[in-house]
Amino acid sequence: MKDQPSVMTGRFSGLSSKLIATIIGVILLVEIVVYLPSLASFRATWLEDRLRVGIVAARVLDAVPDVMALPRNLTDRLLNSAGAHAIVYRREGQSQLIELTDPIIPDVVVTADLRLRDLPTQVLGALDTLFAGPGRTLRVVGAGDTDESLVELLMPETPLRRDMLDYSRSIALVSLGIAAVTAFVLYVLVSRLFIDPVLRMTNNMLAFRKAPENGSLILTPTRRRDEIGILERELADMESDLFSMLRQRRHLADLGLAVAKINHDLRNTLTSAQLLSDQVATLDDPKVQRLAPRLVNTLDRATGFVQSVLDYGRETTTVPQFSSVGLYDLVEDAAFEARVAGHPLVTFQNDIDPELFVDIDPGQMGRVLVNLIKNAREALEAAQTEQAIIAVETRVGDGKLIISVRDNGPGLAPRARAKLFVAFEGSARSGGTGLGLAIAREIVEAHGGTLTLAETGSGTQFDIALPWRGPLD
């Protein structure tokens, strides 16, 4: 017996935790997508602020005829305000340089051209700065305040990277806060609309599975008209039907047990009556000789009916044990068991290809074939058909292997066709129980196939349609 799953009680277990994690993950993913352009914009703004100081320094250079005459403390202040080691001003093919009193020779220089405004370039530059190692020098290039003028700054990259890291931490904290608040609000909303109803139905199904005969556990549906409301109503109807079916099954089981006991006692009584009827049949009285065969036949039919009911009551649902079976030999064995092989009045034709093999349970499918062939023989004997023939053949259609059992008898009456496969009601002959075809249909359906009565102009034909994946030679 499989272990039954425990009832879900945790608020943040199962689907709830997955929902929260998904919401937070999606929000953080969106924040990352937004973060990259924002970081690139922060870097561009930071560099532009330093470049403006370089432009001011360039104006100072324009105002002074001799740059070398500028006081060193003034140039150092200009450079320090821009955070640069040197400023180069280029205009009309001329270049002017301002550098610190103690020039610094950089080891690694990377260029940041602020004239390139496309987003991919800015994002790649921001990521390059963010993940760069220490000690690099940044060469910032930008347009001056006049046409065809250029300003260049040589500055250490470390202050920019430090400010970008501070900015990233701030963005991360804000993003986490937004994600947490948004996830909480969405969770409350989605939980109320979806998670709680699903959790309620899940707990109900698990509890009802443990005690399906407890009517108090049947789900009470809400008035929702959406898909969850439909699911609640369908689940409630299914549980109600299952509750009623289980109670009915218990009553039928009790009734069947009582009938089996009655049949057992009745069979013993009929057996005793048969023995007495056999003794009565040996008497020489003419009236007894005339009535005794009728009495014996009546007792035989009653005994056979009781035995059929007992066999049907003992019939259990057995899973078919599939194996590759030669269909020709199986039909031959069934014909022999049904007392058709060598019959003086009935000709049997086995038109099955001897090389045809099918995946079936030979015991169960052989029982079906015996029943169908036996029914055909009894129908032909009762009708006293001249040149009586029973034939078994196969064909393939719509992905099915169809095994046909047909005879050239008088066929079935319309009344017999209506309830042909209904137990105790589907007998095609007088005195029959109708259990044979009912059991045969159950066996064929357990094989994934169907058993049907084919519409023919004359005679009777039953078709067994089984799943088929191979060629029929």
Side-chain angles (χ1 to χ4, degrees):
M1 181 178 178
K2 295 181 179 180
D3 296 334
Q4 294 184 353
S6 59
V7 178
M8 299 175 64
T9 56
R11 164 62 66 176
F12 297 101
S13 62
L15 192 60
S16 301
S17 59
K18 294 178 181 178
L19 176 64
I20 295 176
T22 302
I23 292 175
I24 293 177
V26 170
I27 294 175
L28 291 179
L29 181 61
V30 173
E31 290 290 342
I32 291 174
V33 174
V34 175
Y35 163 73
L36 293 177
S38 176
L39 182 66
S41 176
F42 174 85
R43 175 176 177 270
T45 302
W46 193 93
L47 293 176
E48 286 173 354
D49 290 342
R50 296 328 184 256
L51 189 64
R52 291 191 186 95
V53 178
I55 294 174
V56 172
R59 290 177 179 176
V60 173
L61 293 178
D62 281 341
V64 178
D66 185 6
V67 176
M68 301 302 297
L70 285 174
R72 298 303 299 174
N73 61 346
L74 177 59
T75 58
D76 288 347
R77 288 172 58 188
L78 287 173
L79 292 171
N80 291 330
S81 62
H85 298 158
I87 299 176
V88 179
Y89 180 60
R90 304 179 187 277
R91 185 182 62 175
E92 297 178 355
Q94 297 180 354
S95 299
Q96 292 178 316
L97 171 66
I98 302 178
E99 60 181 352
L100 293 174
T101 304
D102 298 322
I104 298 175
I105 300 176
D107 294 330
V108 181
V109 179
V110 293
T111 301
D113 195 340
L114 298 183
R115 295 171 298 176
L116 301 177
R117 295 289 183 176
D118 58 292
L119 184 60
T121 301
Q122 292 186 352
V123 171
L124 291 176
L127 293 176
D128 181 63
T129 300
L130 189 64
F131 295 103
R136 295 201 318 181
T137 298
L138 199 59
R139 173 174 172 261
V140 184
V141 180
D145 55 347
T146 61
D147 296 338
E148 299 182 358
S149 62
L150 246 115
V151 178
E152 298 181 14
L153 277 74
L154 287 178
M155 56 183 298
E157 193 179 34
T158 301
L160 172 60
R161 184 172 179 272
R162 183 178 58 251
D163 290 347
M164 290 176 64
L165 289 174
D166 293 339
Y167 176 78
S168 299
R169 281 191 288 268
S170 300
I171 290 293
L173 293 176
V174 173
S175 299
L176 288 176
I178 294 175
V181 173
T182 306
F184 176 77
V185 174
L186 288 178
Y187 171 76
V188 172
L189 179 62
V190 175
S191 176
R192 187 175 185 83
L193 293 177
F194 303 106
I195 302 298
D196 288 348
V198 171
L199 183 63
R200 173 172 171 259
M201 287 187 289
T202 302
N203 291 334
N204 175 264
M205 285 188 289
L206 295 175
F208 186 80
R209 179 189 177 188
K210 294 181 180 179
E213 297 185 9
N214 186 352
S216 64
L217 296 178
I218 296 177
L219 181 71
T220 302
T222 61
R223 296 182 179 180
R224 296 180 61 155
R225 298 185 178 274
D226 56 7
E227 289 80 357
I228 290 184
I230 295 174
L231 183 60
E232 288 177 341
R233 289 187 290 273
E234 292 297 325
L235 178 60
D237 293 342
M238 183 183 67
E239 290 178 345
S240 299
D241 294 341
L242 183 60
F243 172 78
S244 302
M245 183 177 63
L246 290 175
R247 296 193 64 180
Q248 184 181 17
R249 187 181 68 174
R250 175 183 291 181
H251 294 168
L252 290 176
D254 295 339
L255 181 60
L257 181 61
V259 171
K261 292 180 179 179
I262 294 172
N263 276 339
H264 183 271
D265 295 337
L266 182 59
R267 185 181 61 176
N268 294 334
T269 303
L270 290 175
T271 302
S272 300
Q274 276 185 312
L275 295 175
L276 293 175
S277 65
D278 292 339
Q279 296 177 4
V280 171
T282 61
L283 299 178
D284 295 333
D285 190 331
K287 292 183 178 179
V288 173
Q289 292 294 326
R290 187 174 68 253
L291 296 176
R294 298 181 181 178
L295 176 61
V296 172
N297 291 334
T298 301
L299 290 175
D300 286 341
R301 287 198 300 269
T303 303
F305 180 82
V306 171
Q307 186 62 44
S308 298
V309 173
L310 290 175
D311 292 340
Y312 183 75
R314 288 193 295 266
E315 181 72 21
T316 57
T317 302
T318 304
V319 178
Q321 303 298 318
F322 291 92
S323 61
S324 182
V325 179
L327 189 57
Y328 179 88
D329 295 335
L330 186 66
V331 171
E332 287 291 321
D333 294 340
F336 179 81
E337 189 174 345
R339 300 199 305 273
V340 171
H343 195 283
L345 302 177
V346 179
T347 301
F348 179 71
Q349 297 177 357
N350 186 354
D351 297 330
I352 307 295
D353 183 355
E355 302 297 328
L356 178 61
F357 285 78
V358 292
D359 291 331
I360 56 175
D361 186 316
Q364 294 188 12
M365 195 56 63
R367 184 177 177 184
V368 173
L369 293 171
V370 169
N371 180 272
L372 296 178
I373 297 173
K374 179 182 176 182
N375 288 348
R377 175 183 61 79
E378 292 176 348
L380 293 173
E381 290 175 343
Q384 298 181 353
T385 304
E386 296 182 359
Q387 297 180 349
I389 298 175
I390 299 176
V392 181
E393 57 190 11
T394 59
R395 67 182 187 277
V396 174
D398 297 331
K400 300 283 187 180
L401 174 66
I402 301 174
I403 306 171
S404 298
V405 180
R406 59 180 176 85
D407 63 66
N408 62 343
L412 296 177
R415 181 178 180 182
R417 292 169 177 264
K419 297 182 179 181
L420 190 60
F421 298 100
V422 180
F424 300 105
E425 298 183 17
S427 177
R429 59 185 176 85
S430 176
T433 61
L435 297 177
L437 289 177
I439 295 174
R441 190 175 205 178
E442 289 181 355
I443 292 175
V444 174
E445 289 177 348
H447 281 70
T450 57
L451 174 62
T452 57
L453 174 66
E455 295 295 335
T456 57
S458 61
T460 305
Q461 177 177 323
F462 285 93
D463 289 341
I464 303 171
L466 299 175
W468 179 252
R469 297 182 179 86
L472 183 60
D473 297 331

